[in-house]
Each structure stands twice: as structure tokens, then as C-alpha cells.
Amino acid sequence: MAEPGYNAVVLRVGELFLKKDNRRWFVDLLVGNLARLIRGLPWKIEVHQGRILLLPQAGSDPAATVPEVLARAGRCFGISSLSPVVRTDSTDPTVLGGLAAELAEATVPPTAKTFRVTARRPNKRLPYTSPELGGLVGHQVGQRLGLAVDLGRPEFEIGVEAGPPTFVYSETRPGAGGLPVGASGRGLLLLSGGIDSPVAGHRMLRRGCPLEVVHFHSPPYTGPAARAKVLELCQVLARWAGPLHLHLIPISELQLQVKEHAPRPLTVLLYRRFMVRLACRLAGFRQIQALITGESLGQVASQTMENLTCIEAVADRPILRPLIAYDKEETIRLAQAIGSYEISIRPHEDSCSLFVPRHPEIRAKIKELNRAEALLPLDRLLAEALDRLETLVVEP
Ligand code: ATP
Ligand code: MG
């Protein structure tokens, strides 16, 4: 079988958004994101009505980089589907039929007996209709490969579009979907080294929410392995989002104070409230509107409705919890698809498991927590932790 000879990639944008007034803005945002994701590859972006085309730069051989371009563009939110294509300048149905037959020869499974052609003609000035184009192209493909047309349930489908851009294709992959990153307000993701929080971040990116990330660590109790893990998880998110800011805040001193002075069953909730207070302050400096966590209702003792209420009480902005109603199995499947799972399951020292009691409070009361916190030098601890803030920019 010959290679398909792909020389471009076509991206389709969710039709729904294209009809709104903000279409231009939406497409500009998407193209900017796409440019960041394909940076370093010798490809360029062309925008057409309803289609985005990726083309190799002059002098570069597309064959070597098509798979990588497809993989990267497949992580661009706002794109509903994508196809590797054979692009041409000719709109002559005979030329298109020839290209379609060649492509079919290279890609149709040998067992296939039926096919159909799906034709579109965005360029309304062409001297043929879409069904006519489909018929002409289908005739050539059928003859060359000895296949029969089946419009209902074909074993194989060839697409042809007469534009510009004009191209033939035989494969359509689902895109990342959602909204382009930047279409929604900004979120600060609280990233632990666990399975849930990277998935929570990915869900929000998919809704168009640009992320910064904060991780709380406990030096010297948490070491370089935990740090490396968080960096790698950010790299995974950056493959979908482009470069992102990672803020590291040490909370060991604060944890020692909690251990010393607070009732043991409240330990984890007190840590969480500290994290939320610190994250809110950081979000304030960075002009970020909401916090994002990987919490899921009832998953662990700190995530009962009562305890989530206690955590929420110290926030000065919304805490978004995209996984609140997800089962662990669903989250794991998503983590595997995103590419974070294998990193998350590596063992590490977790700052939240430091000094935690065997029997945590399941239904804490805000009053009890306030009382415990009144015994701690709250403002000093928060200020000292923020003084030691370290910020990195993580590239994909
Ligand atoms: P994960 O898999 O995300 O760790 P989890 O089920 O282990 O979740 P917890 O450890 O109770 O749940 O944490 C709940 C949420 O709190 C996490 O999803 C994360 O958003 C936040 N969180 C916990 N620990 C940290 C940390 N050290 N730094 C930043 N955020 C954290
Ligand atoms: Mg965790």
C-alpha cells in the first residue's frame, strides 16, 4: 500500500459558535492557542470560512510531521474534529476524483466492498453541485478500486470539499471539543500529586478557563520526588493549555503549628482552610477569579457536604469543583486519556498526609474550626508562607 500523501490538516470548529456575533473573536482565540501548541513545527495556519487549515511551511516535508501535528492539534480545545487531507489548488472534479482514488487505494482496508463519497462545496461559484461532485468522484473511486457505492451503511467513506480550501480525506478524528482556552475567566488550580486535581484542571481548560497552578509542599518532609511529580503533571496540562505558571508555597511551619495546638481530628480541614486562604490571596495578586479543586463528594472524609462547607467558608471567591459528581473510575479513565494517570500513581510524600489523625472529623462545624484557628498566629503564618512563594513557568 502506498502512503496516503497527506499535505495538510483540516480542523473543524463547533458550528454552534460560528453563528454567534463573537465568531471572529472565538476563531482568533482558537488560532492563537493553536499557534502555541504547534510552535516549533514547520507548519502554518490558514483560516477559511468554517475551516482552519494547517499547512507545511515552504520547503518542509509534511510526511515526517503530520502525525505530530495531528496529535498537537487534537489537544486544542474548541475544535470539534480534524482530518489529515490531500490538498490541491484544482477544483476540477476529474482531478479530485483521481486524488480521491489514490487516497482510497492507500487507506481503504482490503476487505472493504462498499464505500460512499461525502461531498461539500463551500465555494458556491463552482459549476457543479455537491451531489454532482460526489457522483463524479465516487465514479472514479469505484472504478479504480472495484468497490460498490452504499449510501446507507458503507464500509468506507471518502470526503471531498471544493473550496478553497479544496481537499480529499478519508479519516475524521474527534477533536478536543469544548471552548478555546481564554473564552472563560481565569482559574487557580490547587494541584496535589494525586489523580483527581490534574483531571479537574483539564475539565476546566476544556470549558475555556485559562489556568495557573498552585501546589502546597512541606519541605523538608516532602522532597524532590513530590516536586518532580507536580512539575510533570503541569507539563501534561501544558500540552493542552500551552505554558503555564506553577506557584509553590511551603506550608510546613503552618502544619507544625496545627499539630501542636489544634484538636487532632480537625487537622486536615485546618490544612485545607489554610490552603484556600493562601490560594485566594495568590488569586487576588494574579487577578484570578476562581479556585479549582479535584474534590469529589464523599470520596474521603474531608469531602463530605459539611466539610466542604467548612472549607468554602474561608474563600473570598468561588471554588469550582468540576469532579464533584464523578466516580473515581470515571476520573481514572479521564486521567489515562489525558496522560496524567501514570504520573499521579507514582508514590510520593503527600503534604496532606503529614501528621494526620487516624479518625478525622467527618462533620466538622465552622465554629469549632474558628475556635481552633483563634489559637494560631494566623496572619503571620499566612504572610510567611506567601513570602516563600516560588513561581515557575512550565512548558509542554
Ligand atoms: P487528588 O487526587 O487531587 O490528590 P484526593 O482525592 O487525594 O485528590 P485530597 O487529597 O483530599 O483528595 O485533596 C482534595 C483537593 O485538594 C485536591 O484535588 C486538590 O485540589 C487540593 N489539594 C490537596 N492537597 C494539595 C496540595 N498539597 N497542594 C495543592 N492542592 C492540594
Ligand atoms: Mg490528594
PDB file of all heavy atoms in Angstrom, residues 189-198 200 214-217 251 268 272 275 292-296 299-300 302-303 328 344 350-352, ligand 1:
ATOM      1  N   LEU A 189      -5.771  26.478  39.841  1.00  0.00           N
ATOM      2  CA  LEU A 189      -5.951  25.057  40.160  1.00  0.00           C
ATOM      3  C   LEU A 189      -5.093  24.675  41.352  1.00  0.00           C
ATOM      4  O   LEU A 189      -3.874  24.881  41.339  1.00  0.00           O
ATOM      5  CB  LEU A 189      -5.544  24.220  38.942  1.00  0.00           C
ATOM      6  CG  LEU A 189      -5.491  22.695  39.161  1.00  0.00           C
ATOM      7  CD1 LEU A 189      -6.882  22.118  39.429  1.00  0.00           C
ATOM      8  CD2 LEU A 189      -4.858  21.996  37.954  1.00  0.00           C
ATOM      9  N   LEU A 190      -5.717  24.090  42.372  1.00  0.00           N
ATOM     10  CA  LEU A 190      -4.972  23.544  43.501  1.00  0.00           C
ATOM     11  C   LEU A 190      -4.561  22.130  43.115  1.00  0.00           C
ATOM     12  O   LEU A 190      -5.400  21.229  43.057  1.00  0.00           O
ATOM     13  CB  LEU A 190      -5.825  23.548  44.780  1.00  0.00           C
ATOM     14  CG  LEU A 190      -5.936  24.893  45.498  1.00  0.00           C
ATOM     15  CD1 LEU A 190      -6.813  25.866  44.726  1.00  0.00           C
ATOM     16  CD2 LEU A 190      -6.461  24.707  46.917  1.00  0.00           C
ATOM     17  N   LEU A 191      -3.293  21.971  42.819  1.00  0.00           N
ATOM     18  CA  LEU A 191      -2.805  20.701  42.292  1.00  0.00           C
ATOM     19  C   LEU A 191      -2.025  19.944  43.361  1.00  0.00           C
ATOM     20  O   LEU A 191      -0.985  20.411  43.831  1.00  0.00           O
ATOM     21  CB  LEU A 191      -1.899  20.966  41.083  1.00  0.00           C
ATOM     22  CG  LEU A 191      -1.392  19.744  40.319  1.00  0.00           C
ATOM     23  CD1 LEU A 191      -2.479  19.160  39.434  1.00  0.00           C
ATOM     24  CD2 LEU A 191      -0.180  20.098  39.462  1.00  0.00           C
ATOM     25  N   SER A 192      -2.547  18.782  43.749  1.00  0.00           N
ATOM     26  CA  SER A 192      -1.800  17.908  44.660  1.00  0.00           C
ATOM     27  C   SER A 192      -1.017  16.978  43.750  1.00  0.00           C
ATOM     28  O   SER A 192      -0.979  17.161  42.550  1.00  0.00           O
ATOM     29  CB  SER A 192      -2.781  17.139  45.536  1.00  0.00           C
ATOM     30  OG  SER A 192      -3.537  16.273  44.744  1.00  0.00           O
ATOM     31  N   GLY A 193      -0.413  15.936  44.280  1.00  0.00           N
ATOM     32  CA  GLY A 193       0.231  14.982  43.380  1.00  0.00           C
ATOM     33  C   GLY A 193      -0.707  13.845  43.009  1.00  0.00           C
ATOM     34  O   GLY A 193      -0.281  12.859  42.425  1.00  0.00           O
ATOM     35  N   GLY A 194      -1.987  13.991  43.353  1.00  0.00           N
ATOM     36  CA  GLY A 194      -2.926  12.860  43.205  1.00  0.00           C
ATOM     37  C   GLY A 194      -3.523  12.728  41.819  1.00  0.00           C
ATOM     38  O   GLY A 194      -3.092  13.385  40.865  1.00  0.00           O
ATOM     39  N   ILE A 195      -4.524  11.866  41.711  1.00  0.00           N
ATOM     40  CA  ILE A 195      -5.142  11.577  40.411  1.00  0.00           C
ATOM     41  C   ILE A 195      -6.162  12.658  40.028  1.00  0.00           C
ATOM     42  O   ILE A 195      -6.287  13.020  38.864  1.00  0.00           O
ATOM     43  CB  ILE A 195      -5.851  10.196  40.464  1.00  0.00           C
ATOM     44  CG1 ILE A 195      -4.819   9.087  40.660  1.00  0.00           C
ATOM     45  CG2 ILE A 195      -6.665   9.952  39.201  1.00  0.00           C
ATOM     46  CD1 ILE A 195      -5.436   7.748  41.018  1.00  0.00           C
ATOM     47  N   ASP A 196      -6.861  13.168  41.028  1.00  0.00           N
ATOM     48  CA  ASP A 196      -8.038  13.990  40.732  1.00  0.00           C
ATOM     49  C   ASP A 196      -7.727  15.391  40.218  1.00  0.00           C
ATOM     50  O   ASP A 196      -8.336  15.847  39.243  1.00  0.00           O
ATOM     51  CB  ASP A 196      -8.904  14.132  41.994  1.00  0.00           C
ATOM     52  CG  ASP A 196      -9.376  12.784  42.498  1.00  0.00           C
ATOM     53  OD1 ASP A 196      -9.491  11.869  41.675  1.00  0.00           O
ATOM     54  OD2 ASP A 196      -9.623  12.653  43.705  1.00  0.00           O
ATOM     55  N   SER A 197      -6.802  16.073  40.880  1.00  0.00           N
ATOM     56  CA  SER A 197      -6.676  17.504  40.558  1.00  0.00           C
ATOM     57  C   SER A 197      -6.213  17.780  39.120  1.00  0.00           C
ATOM     58  O   SER A 197      -6.714  18.738  38.517  1.00  0.00           O
ATOM     59  CB  SER A 197      -5.837  18.242  41.606  1.00  0.00           C
ATOM     60  OG  SER A 197      -4.759  17.484  42.052  1.00  0.00           O
ATOM     61  N   PRO A 198      -5.315  16.990  38.515  1.00  0.00           N
ATOM     62  CA  PRO A 198      -4.994  17.281  37.106  1.00  0.00           C
ATOM     63  C   PRO A 198      -6.222  17.122  36.204  1.00  0.00           C
ATOM     64  O   PRO A 198      -6.395  17.892  35.258  1.00  0.00           O
ATOM     65  CB  PRO A 198      -3.930  16.232  36.735  1.00  0.00           C
ATOM     66  CG  PRO A 198      -3.473  15.627  38.013  1.00  0.00           C
ATOM     67  CD  PRO A 198      -4.517  15.875  39.049  1.00  0.00           C
ATOM     68  N   ALA A 200      -9.315  17.625  37.130  1.00  0.00           N
ATOM     69  CA  ALA A 200     -10.161  18.810  37.375  1.00  0.00           C
ATOM     70  C   ALA A 200      -9.662  19.983  36.530  1.00  0.00           C
ATOM     71  O   ALA A 200     -10.449  20.704  35.914  1.00  0.00           O
ATOM     72  CB  ALA A 200     -10.147  19.164  38.861  1.00  0.00           C
ATOM     73  N   VAL A 214      -1.347  26.128  41.686  1.00  0.00           N
ATOM     74  CA  VAL A 214      -0.636  26.276  42.956  1.00  0.00           C
ATOM     75  C   VAL A 214      -0.507  24.904  43.606  1.00  0.00           C
ATOM     76  O   VAL A 214      -1.436  24.094  43.565  1.00  0.00           O
ATOM     77  CB  VAL A 214      -1.330  27.279  43.910  1.00  0.00           C
ATOM     78  CG1 VAL A 214      -2.744  26.838  44.290  1.00  0.00           C
ATOM     79  CG2 VAL A 214      -0.494  27.482  45.173  1.00  0.00           C
ATOM     80  N   HIS A 215       0.692  24.642  44.126  1.00  0.00           N
ATOM     81  CA  HIS A 215       0.926  23.407  44.870  1.00  0.00           C
ATOM     82  C   HIS A 215       1.509  23.769  46.242  1.00  0.00           C
ATOM     83  O   HIS A 215       2.420  24.597  46.322  1.00  0.00           O
ATOM     84  CB  HIS A 215       1.891  22.504  44.109  1.00  0.00           C
ATOM     85  CG  HIS A 215       2.296  21.287  44.885  1.00  0.00           C
ATOM     86  ND1 HIS A 215       1.420  20.254  45.166  1.00  0.00           N
ATOM     87  CD2 HIS A 215       3.472  20.951  45.473  1.00  0.00           C
ATOM     88  CE1 HIS A 215       2.052  19.333  45.878  1.00  0.00           C
ATOM     89  NE2 HIS A 215       3.297  19.732  46.081  1.00  0.00           N
ATOM     90  N   PHE A 216       0.964  23.148  47.270  1.00  0.00           N
ATOM     91  CA  PHE A 216       1.476  23.376  48.622  1.00  0.00           C
ATOM     92  C   PHE A 216       2.377  22.217  48.987  1.00  0.00           C
ATOM     93  O   PHE A 216       1.976  21.052  48.882  1.00  0.00           O
ATOM     94  CB  PHE A 216       0.304  23.492  49.600  1.00  0.00           C
ATOM     95  CG  PHE A 216      -0.615  24.628  49.249  1.00  0.00           C
ATOM     96  CD1 PHE A 216      -1.778  24.403  48.522  1.00  0.00           C
ATOM     97  CD2 PHE A 216      -0.298  25.931  49.603  1.00  0.00           C
ATOM     98  CE1 PHE A 216      -2.620  25.446  48.159  1.00  0.00           C
ATOM     99  CE2 PHE A 216      -1.130  26.989  49.251  1.00  0.00           C
ATOM    100  CZ  PHE A 216      -2.297  26.744  48.533  1.00  0.00           C
ATOM    101  N   HIS A 217       3.596  22.538  49.413  1.00  0.00           N
ATOM    102  CA  HIS A 217       4.512  21.476  49.778  1.00  0.00           C
ATOM    103  C   HIS A 217       5.032  21.704  51.194  1.00  0.00           C
ATOM    104  O   HIS A 217       4.807  22.772  51.781  1.00  0.00           O
ATOM    105  CB  HIS A 217       5.638  21.334  48.748  1.00  0.00           C
ATOM    106  CG  HIS A 217       6.479  22.547  48.575  1.00  0.00           C
ATOM    107  ND1 HIS A 217       7.830  22.499  48.375  1.00  0.00           N
ATOM    108  CD2 HIS A 217       6.157  23.869  48.563  1.00  0.00           C
ATOM    109  CE1 HIS A 217       8.296  23.725  48.247  1.00  0.00           C
ATOM    110  NE2 HIS A 217       7.318  24.562  48.351  1.00  0.00           N
ATOM    111  N   ILE A 251       4.153  24.990  53.335  1.00  0.00           N
ATOM    112  CA  ILE A 251       3.221  25.128  54.461  1.00  0.00           C
ATOM    113  C   ILE A 251       3.657  24.317  55.685  1.00  0.00           C
ATOM    114  O   ILE A 251       2.857  24.079  56.595  1.00  0.00           O
ATOM    115  CB  ILE A 251       1.771  24.741  54.066  1.00  0.00           C
ATOM    116  CG1 ILE A 251       1.720  23.325  53.473  1.00  0.00           C
ATOM    117  CG2 ILE A 251       1.168  25.743  53.085  1.00  0.00           C
ATOM    118  CD1 ILE A 251       0.308  22.770  53.341  1.00  0.00           C
ATOM    119  N   VAL A 268      -6.806  17.882  58.982  1.00  0.00           N
ATOM    120  CA  VAL A 268      -6.867  18.008  57.516  1.00  0.00           C
ATOM    121  C   VAL A 268      -7.710  19.214  57.108  1.00  0.00           C
ATOM    122  O   VAL A 268      -7.355  19.954  56.184  1.00  0.00           O
ATOM    123  CB  VAL A 268      -7.418  16.717  56.867  1.00  0.00           C
ATOM    124  CG1 VAL A 268      -7.573  16.897  55.367  1.00  0.00           C
ATOM    125  CG2 VAL A 268      -6.468  15.554  57.140  1.00  0.00           C
ATOM    126  N   ARG A 272      -6.670  22.393  54.856  1.00  0.00           N
ATOM    127  CA  ARG A 272      -7.429  22.794  53.667  1.00  0.00           C
ATOM    128  C   ARG A 272      -7.833  24.255  53.722  1.00  0.00           C
ATOM    129  O   ARG A 272      -7.783  24.980  52.735  1.00  0.00           O
ATOM    130  CB  ARG A 272      -8.707  21.960  53.552  1.00  0.00           C
ATOM    131  CG  ARG A 272      -8.604  20.669  52.830  1.00  0.00           C
ATOM    132  CD  ARG A 272      -8.040  20.867  51.442  1.00  0.00           C
ATOM    133  NE  ARG A 272      -7.005  19.891  51.253  1.00  0.00           N
ATOM    134  CZ  ARG A 272      -7.241  18.586  51.108  1.00  0.00           C
ATOM    135  NH1 ARG A 272      -8.472  18.127  51.081  1.00  0.00           N
ATOM    136  NH2 ARG A 272      -6.258  17.751  50.989  1.00  0.00           N
ATOM    137  N   MET A 275      -4.896  26.294  52.960  1.00  0.00           N
ATOM    138  CA  MET A 275      -4.628  26.265  51.512  1.00  0.00           C
ATOM    139  C   MET A 275      -5.567  27.212  50.776  1.00  0.00           C
ATOM    140  O   MET A 275      -5.150  27.941  49.876  1.00  0.00           O
ATOM    141  CB  MET A 275      -4.813  24.851  50.969  1.00  0.00           C
ATOM    142  CG  MET A 275      -3.736  23.883  51.389  1.00  0.00           C
ATOM    143  SD  MET A 275      -4.037  22.293  50.562  1.00  0.00           S
ATOM    144  CE  MET A 275      -2.806  21.281  51.381  1.00  0.00           C
ATOM    145  N   ILE A 292      -9.963  26.186  41.760  1.00  0.00           N
ATOM    146  CA  ILE A 292     -10.432  24.910  41.205  1.00  0.00           C
ATOM    147  C   ILE A 292      -9.801  23.787  42.017  1.00  0.00           C
ATOM    148  O   ILE A 292      -8.580  23.793  42.237  1.00  0.00           O
ATOM    149  CB  ILE A 292     -10.009  24.771  39.728  1.00  0.00           C
ATOM    150  CG1 ILE A 292     -10.630  25.888  38.890  1.00  0.00           C
ATOM    151  CG2 ILE A 292     -10.396  23.404  39.170  1.00  0.00           C
ATOM    152  CD1 ILE A 292      -9.941  26.110  37.567  1.00  0.00           C
ATOM    153  N   THR A 293     -10.594  22.837  42.463  1.00  0.00           N
ATOM    154  CA  THR A 293     -10.030  21.685  43.175  1.00  0.00           C
ATOM    155  C   THR A 293     -10.534  20.386  42.554  1.00  0.00           C
ATOM    156  O   THR A 293     -11.494  20.379  41.784  1.00  0.00           O
ATOM    157  CB  THR A 293     -10.415  21.666  44.670  1.00  0.00           C
ATOM    158  OG1 THR A 293     -11.794  21.268  44.761  1.00  0.00           O
ATOM    159  CG2 THR A 293     -10.211  23.011  45.334  1.00  0.00           C
ATOM    160  N   GLY A 294      -9.899  19.300  42.943  1.00  0.00           N
ATOM    161  CA  GLY A 294     -10.300  17.974  42.457  1.00  0.00           C
ATOM    162  C   GLY A 294     -11.234  17.270  43.426  1.00  0.00           C
ATOM    163  O   GLY A 294     -11.357  16.045  43.371  1.00  0.00           O
ATOM    164  N   GLU A 295     -11.877  18.027  44.300  1.00  0.00           N
ATOM    165  CA  GLU A 295     -12.739  17.377  45.297  1.00  0.00           C
ATOM    166  C   GLU A 295     -13.951  16.717  44.652  1.00  0.00           C
ATOM    167  O   GLU A 295     -14.485  17.199  43.662  1.00  0.00           O
ATOM    168  CB  GLU A 295     -13.193  18.427  46.330  1.00  0.00           C
ATOM    169  CG  GLU A 295     -12.055  18.820  47.251  1.00  0.00           C
ATOM    170  CD  GLU A 295     -12.268  20.158  47.932  1.00  0.00           C
ATOM    171  OE1 GLU A 295     -12.756  21.088  47.277  1.00  0.00           O
ATOM    172  OE2 GLU A 295     -11.931  20.268  49.113  1.00  0.00           O
ATOM    173  N   SER A 296     -14.363  15.604  45.267  1.00  0.00           N
ATOM    174  CA  SER A 296     -15.496  14.844  44.757  1.00  0.00           C
ATOM    175  C   SER A 296     -16.314  14.409  45.972  1.00  0.00           C
ATOM    176  O   SER A 296     -15.754  13.917  46.952  1.00  0.00           O
ATOM    177  CB  SER A 296     -14.953  13.652  43.984  1.00  0.00           C
ATOM    178  OG  SER A 296     -15.955  12.698  43.803  1.00  0.00           O
ATOM    179  N   GLN A 299     -15.768  11.336  48.622  1.00  0.00           N
ATOM    180  CA  GLN A 299     -14.648  10.466  48.262  1.00  0.00           C
ATOM    181  C   GLN A 299     -13.758  10.143  49.469  1.00  0.00           C
ATOM    182  O   GLN A 299     -13.308   9.023  49.629  1.00  0.00           O
ATOM    183  CB  GLN A 299     -13.821  11.119  47.158  1.00  0.00           C
ATOM    184  CG  GLN A 299     -12.853  10.151  46.522  1.00  0.00           C
ATOM    185  CD  GLN A 299     -11.948  10.877  45.522  1.00  0.00           C
ATOM    186  OE1 GLN A 299     -10.919  11.417  45.876  1.00  0.00           O
ATOM    187  NE2 GLN A 299     -12.358  10.848  44.282  1.00  0.00           N
ATOM    188  N   VAL A 300     -13.484  11.156  50.267  1.00  0.00           N
ATOM    189  CA  VAL A 300     -12.716  10.955  51.505  1.00  0.00           C
ATOM    190  C   VAL A 300     -13.375  11.790  52.587  1.00  0.00           C
ATOM    191  O   VAL A 300     -14.280  12.581  52.318  1.00  0.00           O
ATOM    192  CB  VAL A 300     -11.226  11.376  51.340  1.00  0.00           C
ATOM    193  CG1 VAL A 300     -10.462  10.420  50.459  1.00  0.00           C
ATOM    194  CG2 VAL A 300     -11.109  12.796  50.813  1.00  0.00           C
ATOM    195  N   SER A 302     -12.621  14.375  54.172  1.00  0.00           N
ATOM    196  CA  SER A 302     -12.638  15.838  54.084  1.00  0.00           C
ATOM    197  C   SER A 302     -13.635  16.330  53.042  1.00  0.00           C
ATOM    198  O   SER A 302     -13.823  17.526  52.891  1.00  0.00           O
ATOM    199  CB  SER A 302     -11.239  16.354  53.746  1.00  0.00           C
ATOM    200  OG  SER A 302     -10.837  15.846  52.495  1.00  0.00           O
ATOM    201  N   GLN A 303     -14.258  15.419  52.313  1.00  0.00           N
ATOM    202  CA  GLN A 303     -15.118  15.840  51.213  1.00  0.00           C
ATOM    203  C   GLN A 303     -16.596  15.515  51.422  1.00  0.00           C
ATOM    204  O   GLN A 303     -17.327  15.231  50.480  1.00  0.00           O
ATOM    205  CB  GLN A 303     -14.572  15.266  49.893  1.00  0.00           C
ATOM    206  CG  GLN A 303     -13.187  15.849  49.596  1.00  0.00           C
ATOM    207  CD  GLN A 303     -12.460  15.206  48.433  1.00  0.00           C
ATOM    208  OE1 GLN A 303     -13.064  14.629  47.553  1.00  0.00           O
ATOM    209  NE2 GLN A 303     -11.136  15.311  48.424  1.00  0.00           N
ATOM    210  N   LYS A 328     -14.719   7.679  41.104  1.00  0.00           N
ATOM    211  CA  LYS A 328     -13.268   7.562  40.946  1.00  0.00           C
ATOM    212  C   LYS A 328     -12.912   6.884  39.612  1.00  0.00           C
ATOM    213  O   LYS A 328     -11.962   7.278  38.939  1.00  0.00           O
ATOM    214  CB  LYS A 328     -12.674   6.784  42.122  1.00  0.00           C
ATOM    215  CG  LYS A 328     -11.154   6.900  42.224  1.00  0.00           C
ATOM    216  CD  LYS A 328     -10.731   8.238  42.802  1.00  0.00           C
ATOM    217  CE  LYS A 328      -9.232   8.433  42.774  1.00  0.00           C
ATOM    218  NZ  LYS A 328      -8.811   9.641  43.501  1.00  0.00           N
ATOM    219  N   SER A 344       0.529  10.385  38.239  1.00  0.00           N
ATOM    220  CA  SER A 344      -0.179  10.535  39.519  1.00  0.00           C
ATOM    221  C   SER A 344      -0.025   9.325  40.438  1.00  0.00           C
ATOM    222  O   SER A 344      -0.008   9.475  41.655  1.00  0.00           O
ATOM    223  CB  SER A 344      -1.668  10.780  39.279  1.00  0.00           C
ATOM    224  OG  SER A 344      -1.890  12.052  38.739  1.00  0.00           O
ATOM    225  N   ASP A 350       3.005  13.083  50.508  1.00  0.00           N
ATOM    226  CA  ASP A 350       1.891  13.988  50.314  1.00  0.00           C
ATOM    227  C   ASP A 350       1.828  14.940  51.500  1.00  0.00           C
ATOM    228  O   ASP A 350       1.779  14.507  52.643  1.00  0.00           O
ATOM    229  CB  ASP A 350       0.618  13.136  50.224  1.00  0.00           C
ATOM    230  CG  ASP A 350      -0.621  13.978  50.102  1.00  0.00           C
ATOM    231  OD1 ASP A 350      -0.494  15.212  50.038  1.00  0.00           O
ATOM    232  OD2 ASP A 350      -1.711  13.392  50.086  1.00  0.00           O
ATOM    233  N   SER A 351       1.809  16.216  51.213  1.00  0.00           N
ATOM    234  CA  SER A 351       1.878  17.166  52.328  1.00  0.00           C
ATOM    235  C   SER A 351       0.625  17.079  53.195  1.00  0.00           C
ATOM    236  O   SER A 351       0.662  17.395  54.368  1.00  0.00           O
ATOM    237  CB  SER A 351       2.142  18.580  51.820  1.00  0.00           C
ATOM    238  OG  SER A 351       0.965  19.231  51.522  1.00  0.00           O
ATOM    239  N   CYS A 352      -0.474  16.584  52.605  1.00  0.00           N
ATOM    240  CA  CYS A 352      -1.696  16.485  53.407  1.00  0.00           C
ATOM    241  C   CYS A 352      -1.714  15.293  54.339  1.00  0.00           C
ATOM    242  O   CYS A 352      -2.517  15.215  55.259  1.00  0.00           O
ATOM    243  CB  CYS A 352      -2.912  16.396  52.502  1.00  0.00           C
ATOM    244  SG  CYS A 352      -3.394  18.006  51.997  1.00  0.00           S
TER     245      CYS A 352
HETATM  246  P1  ATP B   1      -6.098  14.361  44.445  1.00  0.00           P
HETATM  247  O1  ATP B   1      -6.089  13.104  43.684  1.00  0.00           O
HETATM  248  O2  ATP B   1      -6.274  15.540  43.593  1.00  0.00           O
HETATM  249  O3  ATP B   1      -4.949  14.498  45.399  1.00  0.00           O
HETATM  250  P2  ATP B   1      -7.651  13.424  46.587  1.00  0.00           P
HETATM  251  O4  ATP B   1      -8.817  12.587  46.321  1.00  0.00           O
HETATM  252  O5  ATP B   1      -6.386  12.811  47.053  1.00  0.00           O
HETATM  253  O6  ATP B   1      -7.405  14.320  45.333  1.00  0.00           O
HETATM  254  P3  ATP B   1      -7.457  15.284  48.692  1.00  0.00           P
HETATM  255  O7  ATP B   1      -6.074  14.884  48.842  1.00  0.00           O
HETATM  256  O8  ATP B   1      -8.375  15.300  49.860  1.00  0.00           O
HETATM  257  O9  ATP B   1      -8.205  14.485  47.586  1.00  0.00           O
HETATM  258  O10 ATP B   1      -7.466  16.729  48.081  1.00  0.00           O
HETATM  259  C1  ATP B   1      -8.620  17.364  47.590  1.00  0.00           C
HETATM  260  C2  ATP B   1      -8.210  18.525  46.731  1.00  0.00           C
HETATM  261  O11 ATP B   1      -7.486  19.492  47.490  1.00  0.00           O
HETATM  262  C3  ATP B   1      -7.248  18.107  45.630  1.00  0.00           C
HETATM  263  O12 ATP B   1      -7.936  17.621  44.499  1.00  0.00           O
HETATM  264  C4  ATP B   1      -6.538  19.408  45.347  1.00  0.00           C
HETATM  265  O13 ATP B   1      -7.311  20.244  44.512  1.00  0.00           O
HETATM  266  C5  ATP B   1      -6.438  20.048  46.723  1.00  0.00           C
HETATM  267  N1  ATP B   1      -5.142  19.710  47.348  1.00  0.00           N
HETATM  268  C6  ATP B   1      -4.870  18.740  48.228  1.00  0.00           C
HETATM  269  N2  ATP B   1      -3.572  18.740  48.581  1.00  0.00           N
HETATM  270  C7  ATP B   1      -2.988  19.750  47.903  1.00  0.00           C
HETATM  271  C8  ATP B   1      -1.647  20.280  47.827  1.00  0.00           C
HETATM  272  N3  ATP B   1      -0.647  19.757  48.529  1.00  0.00           N
HETATM  273  N4  ATP B   1      -1.432  21.331  47.013  1.00  0.00           N
HETATM  274  C9  ATP B   1      -2.431  21.871  46.289  1.00  0.00           C
HETATM  275  N5  ATP B   1      -3.708  21.417  46.326  1.00  0.00           N
HETATM  276  C10 ATP B   1      -3.995  20.377  47.112  1.00  0.00           C
END
